[in-house]
Amino acid sequence: MIKLYQFHPSGNCYKVRLVLHQLGIPFEVREMDLLNGATRTPEFKALNANGRVPIVELEPGVFLAESNAIITYFAEGTPLIPTDKLERARMFQWMFFEQYSHEPYVAVARAWLSFFGIPQGKERELEERIQKGYAALDVMEEELKKRPFFVGHQYSLADVALYAYTHVAAEGHFDLSRYRAIPAWFERVQAQPRHLRITDPAPVAR
Amino acid sequence: MIKLYQFHPSGNCYKVRLVLHQLGIPFEVREMDLLNGATRTPEFKALNANGRVPIVELEPGVFLAESNAIITYFAEGTPLIPTDKLERARMFQWMFFEQYSHEPYVAVARAWLSFFGIPQGKERELEERIQKGYAALDVMEEELKKRPFFVGHQYSLADVALYAYTHVAAEGHFDLSRYRAIPAWFERVQAQPRHLRITDPAPVAR
């Protein structure tokens, strides 16, 4: 049984739950107490030296880290990854965009404002992160004016990766009412078969 | 002819030159004056809304962004991407690690200290970036104590992605003499056929 080490409210962890559920792959979760540094212990760092969740245990002792690498692993050969070479590259483009230009701003602002508190002396840095988060959202809005999903006409891992933190960006005090294409895309993502909300408990593996 | 829009000293741009050269794919470069904001103009943003290099023009009007997506595109079906599913996932794990946990620290410190200057009021942030850069280098060192390359026993895109900024980390004032496995890995990377140095001019396309 695949085991997901996670912090439930994390968008990165949600990506993995969503993809596993949509693909019908059973898994069990091990909840990590991030507020008490559970991923920074020597025991956890033996599983992921980088001290982050999500990680999945694929078989006893075999761990895989990085949310976007994990969902790529499970989605290989499924409709969640385009078969066309350029579309597949475009999917990865958006997934790397998500980790480099979106997550550090949209997700970190949310983490500070909704879960961990603003670290001491980081008030100005928060403002800058919010500004850069809006820049990422602006890029998304422009793209979604042109097409229904990030890659061609089909829901893919690019949508999963970008949906995870964007749809809860209000928890980072982002005002999504200034966008039109993004909320319309939320509805298309939520209408996919076997959608799972971030607040839904992990499905019980049978 | 493939056209690479780049800033030559950028490690992200270097990744693309290195992979294209190693695969024997001819390309021409268009140098962007990053010090004068050449990627933030409306003209450039029409090519990449995210305002960053590298981008490649694959055919007239078809652009691909994000260094790690670009090298994945070109390396598909070559020995630079492992054929084993788990090894391929591990490669992506390291490439996402590079963009999330390494580049924002190791590359940004180098950019500030060697090219653009420290932005006003960012002195403390620089210290934090250097600290987190060492954390990423520590993770790499531990991994390279166990294996010759990041994925199994073979040079892959994971090595390209991590080599790009690590081997010039001293330009970000990182002291690499505290590591042993990393410099030994540099030699293995540099010994690969058709290696290109970051300072080498782009090969002349024929």
Side-chain angles (χ1 to χ4, degrees):
Chain A
M1 172 76 73
I2 286 156
K3 193 186 287 180
L4 167 64
Y5 290 69
Q6 68 153 11
F7 175 60
H8 199 94
S10 151
N12 286 327
C13 297
Y14 167 58
K15 292 174 196 173
V16 180
R17 291 197 305 277
L18 177 57
V19 166
L20 287 174
H21 183 62
Q22 289 190 314
L23 295 176
I25 299 170
F27 64 102
E28 57 185 33
V29 300
R30 179 141 169 204
E31 195 67 21
M32 305 301 289
D33 185 1
L34 245 63
L35 284 81
N36 286 304
T39 58
R40 303 291 172 171
T41 62
E43 291 74 21
F44 186 83
K45 285 194 166 183
L47 313 184
N48 179 12
N50 202 29
R52 296 179 184 280
V53 285
I55 59 171
V56 289
E57 189 171 13
L58 298 170
E59 53 186 83
V62 178
F63 295 89
L64 186 62
E66 297 292 333
S67 59
N68 287 350
I70 293 170
I71 62 177
T72 300
Y73 174 83
F74 286 115
E76 274 207 11
T78 80
L80 292 177
I81 299 182
T83 51
D84 176 77
K85 181 178 173 177
L86 178 59
E87 291 193 345
R88 202 161 48 245
R90 195 72 74 203
M91 180 193 85
F92 283 121
Q93 173 186 313
W94 286 110
M95 292 167 79
F96 282 106
F97 165 85
E98 188 264 332
Q99 283 290 288
Y100 191 84
S101 296
H102 182 289
E103 206 271 11
Y105 310 118
V106 177
V108 171
R110 170 178 176 258
W112 290 357
L113 290 166
S114 285
F115 297 100
F116 301 102
I118 305 168
Q120 202 176 3
K122 296 259 186 181
E123 291 76 10
R124 268 183 57 193
E125 190 179 317
L126 172 63
E127 278 177 46
E128 196 183 323
R129 285 182 191 259
I130 288 176
Q131 187 192 335
K132 291 186 174 179
Y134 276 119
L137 295 170
D138 290 349
V139 169
M140 291 175 63
E141 176 75 6
E142 288 309 306
E143 189 69 13
L144 290 169
K145 282 180 184 170
K146 290 182 269 181
R147 48 184 61 81
F149 296 105
F150 278 93
V151 182
H153 290 276
Q154 198 177 315
Y155 175 73
S156 76
L157 294 186
D159 302 289
V160 171
L162 283 163
Y163 177 79
Y165 284 109
T166 305
H167 85 291
V168 290
E171 296 174 14
H173 298 195
F174 290 94
D175 174 16
L176 292 179
S177 74
R178 62 168 82 176
Y179 299 108
R180 297 220 166 183
I182 290 174
W185 166 73
F186 286 168
E187 292 182 15
R188 289 189 292 275
V189 170
Q190 289 157 3
Q192 296 300 309
R194 296 177 65 85
H195 182 72
L196 196 71
R197 289 170 299 184
I198 191 168
T199 49
D200 287 341
V204 176
R206 294 171 202 282
Chain B
M1 173 77 74
I2 286 156
K3 192 185 288 180
L4 167 64
Y5 289 70
Q6 68 152 13
F7 175 62
H8 200 96
S10 151
N12 286 327
C13 298
Y14 167 57
K15 293 174 195 172
V16 180
R17 292 197 305 276
L18 176 57
V19 165
L20 287 173
H21 183 63
Q22 288 191 314
L23 294 177
I25 299 170
F27 65 101
E28 57 185 34
V29 299
R30 178 139 171 209
E31 195 68 19
M32 305 301 290
D33 184 2
L34 244 62
L35 284 81
N36 286 305
T39 60
R40 304 290 172 170
T41 62
E43 292 75 19
F44 186 82
K45 285 194 168 185
L47 313 183
N48 179 13
N50 202 30
R52 296 178 183 281
V53 285
I55 60 171
V56 288
E57 189 171 14
L58 298 170
E59 52 186 86
V62 178
F63 295 89
L64 186 63
E66 298 292 334
S67 59
N68 287 350
I70 294 169
I71 61 177
T72 300
Y73 175 84
F74 286 115
E76 275 206 13
T78 79
L80 291 177
I81 298 182
T83 52
D84 175 78
K85 180 178 174 177
L86 178 59
E87 290 193 346
R88 200 160 50 245
R90 195 72 73 202
M91 180 194 83
F92 283 121
Q93 173 186 312
W94 286 111
M95 291 167 80
F96 282 106
F97 165 86
E98 188 264 332
Q99 283 290 287
Y100 192 85
S101 297
H102 181 289
E103 206 270 12
Y105 310 118
V106 176
V108 172
R110 170 178 176 259
W112 290 357
L113 290 166
S114 285
F115 297 100
F116 300 103
I118 305 168
Q120 203 176 4
K122 297 256 188 185
E123 291 76 9
R124 268 181 58 191
E125 189 180 319
L126 173 62
E127 279 177 46
E128 196 183 323
R129 286 184 190 256
I130 289 177
Q131 187 191 334
K132 290 186 175 179
Y134 275 120
L137 296 170
D138 290 349
V139 168
M140 291 175 64
E141 175 76 6
E142 287 310 305
E143 191 69 14
L144 291 169
K145 282 181 184 169
K146 291 182 268 183
R147 47 184 61 82
F149 295 105
F150 278 92
V151 182
H153 290 276
Q154 198 177 314
Y155 175 71
S156 76
L157 295 186
D159 301 288
V160 170
L162 283 163
Y163 177 79
Y165 284 108
T166 305
H167 85 291
V168 289
E171 296 174 15
H173 297 194
F174 290 95
D175 174 16
L176 292 179
S177 74
R178 63 169 81 175
Y179 299 109
R180 298 222 164 178
I182 290 173
W185 165 74
F186 287 167
E187 292 183 15
R188 288 189 292 274
V189 170
Q190 290 157 1
Q192 295 301 309
R194 297 177 63 85
H195 182 73
L196 195 72
R197 288 170 299 184
I198 192 168
T199 49
D200 287 341
V204 176
R206 293 171 203 283

